[in-house]
């Protein structure tokens, strides 16, 4: 028995799980993208599933994928690519914005991407981790918000929550690799981020301007 009601042929992963294997952001993966060949049918399924993102695999060998939220198609997203790289054991994922390189390192799956591929996000720093945790919901305003604060600045430990504020069913995003990537690039340092209820995201910026984003992936439902 599981908590996800999904059609056959769709895997559900939890990406960026905490050290205890809990939490993580749910991801739907349609292994055979031909089952939903056009954008309208993909958007309909993504809305029906209700995950923050659903991935359609168009070429499992080349790693060509298509990412949808319940309301729109995304050129890039972090947790869908980390999850798909883990599921298909790929070293490269093909997106319209460019190739995303992936690697496995023990219990962590990493992707390398460029900050300019990420759709705009507002990174709002709070005075303390307690303030971030106490937020009752999305702060007033429009546009995608990443609320964050230092837990331990010297150690690079961050507490964060993410609010898409785009008018769909996703009020809060449990674990957001793209926003973590932007924050790491903005601060110019590696981060250990606790987001949402207890998900964990690791980042590591490189001299060439790219940022690695990594985390644990677990299978929730095998389709």
């Amino acid at each position: 028995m599981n908590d996800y009601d999904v059609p056959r042929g769709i895997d559900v992963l939890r990406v960026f799980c905490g050290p205890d294997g809990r939490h993580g952001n749910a991801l739907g993966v349609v292994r055979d993208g031909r089952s939903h060949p056009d954008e309208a049918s993909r958007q309909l399924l993504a809305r029906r599933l209700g995950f923050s993102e659903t991935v359609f695999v168009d070429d499992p060998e080349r790693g060509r994928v298509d990412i949808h939220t319940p309301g729109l198609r995304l050129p890039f997203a972090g947790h869908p690519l980390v999850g798909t790289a883990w599921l298909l054991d790929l070293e490269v994922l093909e997106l319209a914005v460019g190739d995303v390189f992936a690697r496995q390192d023990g219990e962590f799956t990493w992707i390398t991407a460029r900050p300019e591929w990420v759709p705009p996000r507002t990174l709002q720093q709070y005075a303390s981790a307690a303030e971030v945790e106490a937020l009752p919901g999305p702060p007033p305003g429009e546009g995608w918000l990443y609320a964050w604060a230092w837990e331990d600045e010297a150690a690079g430990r961050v507490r964060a929550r993410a609010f898409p504020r785009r008018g769909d069913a996703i009020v809060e995003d449990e674990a957001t690799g793209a926003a973590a990537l932007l924050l790491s690039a903005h601060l110019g340092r590696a981060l250990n981020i606790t987001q949402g209820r207890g998900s964990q995201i690791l980042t590591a910026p490189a001299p060439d301007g790219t940022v690695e984003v990594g985390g644990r992936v677990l299978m929730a439902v095998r389709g």
Side-chain angles (χ1 to χ4, degrees), residues 79-99:
H79 99 276
L81 298 177
V82 170
T84 304
W86 174 86
L87 179 67
L88 302 180
D89 193 22
L90 294 171
E91 295 182 357
V92 180
L93 294 159
E94 289 188 2
L95 299 175
V97 293
D99 289 347

Side-chain angles (χ1 to χ4, degrees), residues 88-220:
L88 302 180
D89 193 22
L90 294 171
E91 295 182 357
V92 180
L93 294 159
E94 289 188 2
L95 299 175
V97 293
D99 289 347
V100 174
F101 296 94
R103 66 182 178 91
Q104 308 291 328
D105 180 16
E107 63 181 325
F108 295 98
T109 299
W110 295 82
I111 62 167
T112 299
R114 306 200 67 85
E116 54 265 32
W117 295 346
V118 180
R121 305 275 194 268
T122 297
L123 308 175
Q124 183 172 335
Q125 184 176 4
Y126 284 72
S128 68
E131 284 189 35
V132 173
E133 291 175 355
L135 289 171
E142 297 181 358
W144 221 106
L145 176 70
Y146 202 54
W148 72 279
W150 290 113
E151 279 190 327
D152 183 338
E153 186 171 356
R157 290 176 50 225
V158 167
R159 183 71 174 97
R161 291 173 66 189
F163 302 101
R165 299 194 302 191
R166 61 190 173 213
D168 61 20
I170 308 301
V171 175
E172 181 171 352
D173 205 15
E174 172 62 26
T176 315
L181 185 158
L182 284 183
L183 183 61
S184 187
H186 171 69
L187 297 172
R189 59 182 295 186
L191 300 174
N192 181 345
I193 300 171
T194 300
Q195 186 181 323
R197 295 169 300 161
S199 300
Q200 184 182 28
I201 307 169
L202 304 179
T203 71
D208 65 356
T210 61
V211 179
E212 271 200 308
V213 179
R216 302 174 189 83
V217 185
L218 294 175
M219 177 73 75

